[in-house]
Amino acid sequence: MAGGLALLSSASASSSASGLESVRCRLQGTTRPPAFSQDGDFVIGGVFSIHNYMYTLEHSYTSMPEPLQCTGSLDSRELRFSRAMVFAVEEINNSSDLLPGVTLGYQVHDSCTSVPMAMNVAFQLANGLDPMFDTGEQCSGSATVTAIVGESGSTPTISMLRIIGPFGIPQVSHFSTCACLSDKKQYPTFFRTIPSDQFQAAALAHLIRHFGWTWIGAVRSDSDYGNNGMAAFLQAAQEEGICVEYSEAFSRTNPPSRVQRVADVIRSSTARVVVAFTSVVEMRILLEEMERLPSPPRQWIGSESWVTDRDMLRFGLCAGAIGFGIQRSVIPGFRDFLLDLSPQKVSNSPLLTEFWEGAFGCRLGIGTTTGVGVEEKVCDGSEDIQQLQTPFTDTSQLRVTNMVYKAVYAIAHAIHSIVCEERENSTVNCDKNLNVKPTKVLERLRRVNFSRNGYQVSFDANGDPVATYELVNWQRRESGNIEFVTVGLYDGSLPPDQRLHIEREITWVKNSTQVPVSVCSESCPPGTRKAVQKGRPVCCYDCIQCSEGEISNNTDSSDCLICPEEYWPNAERDRCILKPVEFLSFHEVLGIILTACSVGGACLAIATAAVFYRHRTSAIVRANNSELSFLLLFSLTLCFLCSLTFIGRPSEWSCMLRHTAFGITFVLCISCVLGKTIVVLMAFRATLPGSNVMKWFGPPQQRLTVVSFTFVQALICTLWLVLSPPFPIKNLTTYKEKIILECDVGSAIGFWAVLVYIGLLALLCFVLAFLARKLPDNFNEAKFITFSMLIFCAVWITFIPAYVSSPGKFTVAVEIFAIITSSFGLFFLLFVPKCFIILFRPEKNTKKHLMEKTSNEIGY
């Protein structure tokens, strides 16, 4: 390996006092002089990616390879970084507080943004520039530098650490952000003044989620920086619920077809937001390819490596880009230092000479002729660097530059803590002749904690600083130029909900102030839930309306919530509302009709009773057992009125009253009809010669029969009310969307016992009336009783299936209808014919007429 150690000769030399043999060693390969250097008591190394490429040759392996050389364009931004290191060292050497009396030296190298050159530089910084040296025992010379600042890229930094790490040489990077470098088991000598990509990845995911972007594209450099940074970002994005449509990697060494494929993926994608975790070089290559063909507008989210690079502002398609950058800072005196260049100073440095000639388009010294015969312009001394507008002279956005500055000061403070001590009179005494080993500097770097120009410098256990970023926005001004504008801050030390703070309005892609939308599927409104599309990421979904009884009151709900038992979703299904309570009310049409029928029936019964009472001495009233007739009219009145207890909001008292009143009044009614039927039978037998049966069924016995039958029903109802009475309930099962207020019968046995008892009495009455239908009663009342009982039984037999199958309040309506219908059946068949004769055929309401009719029916 170039720069390594090799044994030149092992011939015995004169023995030393200790008797050890002297060995002469030679460095393999050819040393490269540093770009900038200065001797000092303690030397700090610096490595920067000033050129973009390394000149490569095919090796024949038959001769010594040529020295490594840089090629490609010069990165004036990286040149500024290297000059910042020189400035910091000179500032420290002129300081009376830090390392007084001690001179720091430096060796600044160009790594050409390549791993081989970075490794060559690492060997050179460890071994020194002298190609040959002697050692008293073996080739084990100590490092020539106490610490190293750099490298700018993560991959070259990792390569350097593999070489210098075993020797304990600390390396403080200003721009290597790969999260992998925080692994102290692999890289125990690494520190950095720039936050790790682990923090930046989390910040980018937080930023994307903040603006509601759930469908994005991602591109990255195919390097340690890009691959590790993107891996950390994808993990953070997944935790934030962000989906990635594509993730493409490419390198600056890839063929153009590879870059073109990445550009085509971006153009054809549906994601409007693109996260680019790339280096400046790769991003420049990609954007040049994107500009080659028309591309749809994309909102670019950049990593700090390129989003604050002023040279990238020439790409207009990135106008509106946002990303996190290192905090902008001010380094007093640094601009004057950068501009303090004259042609004489520049000519002493090949690197500055290359920069000068490229910036002013002229050559220092004697002009030469180009291949086309045109003589190049010679710099005549009129060039004014004060008027030069390049990233090298631009100090308005000192971000990474300040990281270099802080890295140099961190190393200086570590050396200061080793070689200097404070005396009683507050003076500082430093021993510049003290042998400071890199391992000692490494130990002190872990404890560094100071403030410089208002910026705190310290390292955690992983060698990382506190993560603080500025949110940078590329805004197009009225002049057409794009500028960096700081629009917010991100502080990783704060709680998650307080880390991101937006301070100014952001200008988005196409110079819009409206936040662009980048989602795979539109948000699901309240009342719906997300259903992931099969085979696609979770961000691609369909909006499904919540099922019955469920709601979602948030946008993009994953699941619907079941409403409480007494609640039901509204029409939009975004909130639960109380279910409407339903019962047969006096105010609704059906309730009014049933109430009118009930009251009308009761009034007719009362009116009939009044007519009977007014003509109580007439033949018809006297011949039809007036006492049972009045009792029957009274019970019919109660039957009509008891149906009113079924209407209205059920309560504990109304539930108990409605069934018991119905049961008792109907038994009273049928008992009276049964008594009248028995009277008809007994009366016929009493007309036979020698029969005295009426004395056994006279008025006292008739009263006792009615009371006895009614008492049995009253006893059943009493037991029912005592043991398990009816009670009001909320029926939540019949209808899902409403509550039915109804009465639970309590004891089903009690309820059906009441109905069965009524049915048995009605059946008995029907049988007796049927047997007496051809008997010659005065007005053929047995026939009317038969028909009335037939109607009664038909109504209540029909009632049973209708009652069971009718839902909700219609169950109550069926029961009321059965009560009113059967009551009207008894009333019309038993009393209307008699009232008609009383009121409209008075000539038939005589005893003579009755006797003649009876005689004709008997056949006398």
Side-chain angles (χ1 to χ4, degrees), residues 846-856:
T846 61
K847 186 175 182 181
K848 177 182 178 181
H849 180 77
L850 290 178
M851 293 302 295
E852 289 178 355
K853 183 179 179 183
T854 302
S855 299
N856 292 333

Side-chain angles (χ1 to χ4, degrees), residues 560-637:
C560 295
L561 305 175
I562 299 176
C563 287
E565 193 175 38
E566 296 188 8
Y567 287 79
W568 191 251
N570 60 352
E572 293 77 21
R573 299 192 181 181
D574 58 359
R575 62 189 180 95
C576 292
I577 58 176
L578 276 172
K579 291 181 181 179
V581 177
E582 185 178 84
F583 55 89
L584 188 58
S585 169
F586 287 104
H587 304 291
E588 60 182 296
V589 175
L590 182 58
I592 292 172
I593 293 173
L594 294 176
T595 300
C597 292
S598 176
V599 174
C603 292
L604 287 176
I606 294 172
T608 302
V611 170
F612 269 50
Y613 183 79
R614 173 72 178 80
H615 300 87
R616 60 186 180 278
T617 58
S618 65
I620 290 180
V621 176
R622 291 173 60 87
N624 283 277
N625 199 333
S626 60
E627 186 174 345
L628 285 180
S629 295
F630 282 114
L631 188 58
L632 179 57
L633 286 170
F634 173 71
S635 62
L636 282 174
T637 303

Side-chain angles (χ1 to χ4, degrees), residues 341-359:
L341 290 179
S342 63
Q344 292 75 22
K345 289 184 179 182
V346 170
S347 61
N348 294 329
S349 169
L351 200 61
L352 290 177
T353 298
E354 182 182 352
F355 163 72
W356 189 276
E357 292 178 348

Side-chain angles (χ1 to χ4, degrees), residues 494-797:
L494 297 177
D497 58 338
Q498 301 177 15
R499 291 176 182 173
L500 180 63
H501 181 61
I502 307 296
E503 298 176 335
R504 297 180 61 178
E505 186 179 33
I506 298 175
T507 300
W508 303 101
V509 62
K510 299 178 70 174
N511 210 34
S512 172
T513 56
Q514 188 72 26
V515 179
V517 177
S518 185
V519 294
C520 182
S521 301
E522 293 296 330
S523 295
C524 289
T528 62
R529 64 175 178 84
K530 297 191 295 185
V532 178
Q533 297 174 359
K534 188 175 181 180
R536 304 200 66 188
V538 295
C539 299
C540 301
Y541 48 81
D542 297 317
C543 297
I544 307 298
Q545 188 178 39
C546 291
S547 303
E548 280 191 350
E550 297 181 345
I551 65 153
S552 63
N553 51 12
N554 295 319
T555 302
D556 287 336
S557 295
S558 299
D559 296 297
C560 295
L561 305 175
I562 299 176
C563 287
E565 193 175 38
E566 296 188 8
Y567 287 79
W568 191 251
N570 60 352
E572 293 77 21
R573 299 192 181 181
D574 58 359
R575 62 189 180 95
C576 292
I577 58 176
L578 276 172
K579 291 181 181 179
V581 177
E582 185 178 84
F583 55 89
L584 188 58
S585 169
F586 287 104
H587 304 291
E588 60 182 296
V589 175
L590 182 58
I592 292 172
I593 293 173
L594 294 176
T595 300
C597 292
S598 176
V599 174
C603 292
L604 287 176
I606 294 172
T608 302
V611 170
F612 269 50
Y613 183 79
R614 173 72 178 80
H615 300 87
R616 60 186 180 278
T617 58
S618 65
I620 290 180
V621 176
R622 291 173 60 87
N624 283 277
N625 199 333
S626 60
E627 186 174 345
L628 285 180
S629 295
F630 282 114
L631 188 58
L632 179 57
L633 286 170
F634 173 71
S635 62
L636 282 174
T637 303
L638 294 181
C639 288
F640 282 118
L641 295 178
C642 79
S643 61
L644 297 178
T645 62
F646 289 82
I647 305 176
R649 178 182 287 269
S651 63
E652 186 174 350
W653 285 103
S654 67
C655 286
M656 290 190 293
L657 180 63
R658 63 173 58 171
H659 290 101
T660 53
F662 153 70
I664 294 173
T665 55
F666 257 77
V667 167
L668 177 61
C669 179
I670 296 174
S671 299
C672 293
V673 176
L674 183 60
K676 290 174 72 67
T677 306
I678 295 174
V679 167
V680 172
L681 289 172
M682 295 300 104
F684 177 75
R685 290 186 177 272
T687 59
L688 296 178
S691 176
N692 60 350
V693 71
M694 283 303 295
K695 70 177 183 179
W696 299 108
F697 200 75
Q701 287 78 16
Q702 294 171 19
R703 299 188 195 102
L704 182 60
T705 301
V706 173
V707 172
S708 299
F709 284 131
T710 306
F711 175 77
V712 173
Q713 183 73 305
L715 181 62
I716 294 173
C717 291
T718 302
L719 292 175
W720 182 16
L721 294 178
V722 171
L723 297 178
S724 182
F727 56 90
I729 62 167
K730 294 179 179 179
N731 184 346
L732 304 172
T733 58
T734 302
Y735 295 103
K736 295 179 180 179
E737 70 280 4
K738 57 185 175 183
I739 300 174
I740 305 298
L741 287 185
E742 59 187 18
C743 291
D744 189 284
V745 296
S747 172
I749 296 176
F751 174 71
W752 289 108
V754 169
L755 292 183
V756 168
Y757 184 69
I758 295 173
L760 289 175
L761 288 181
L763 183 60
L764 177 61
C765 187
F766 172 74
V767 171
L768 294 178
F770 182 78
L771 294 175
R773 72 188 186 284
K774 294 184 178 181
L775 297 179
D777 65 57
N778 296 335
F779 286 97
N780 205 13
E781 192 171 42
K783 293 181 180 180
F784 291 121
I785 293 174
T786 302
F787 285 121
S788 66
M789 286 298 102
L790 186 61
I791 294 173
F792 184 90
C793 292
V795 168
W796 286 100
I797 289 173

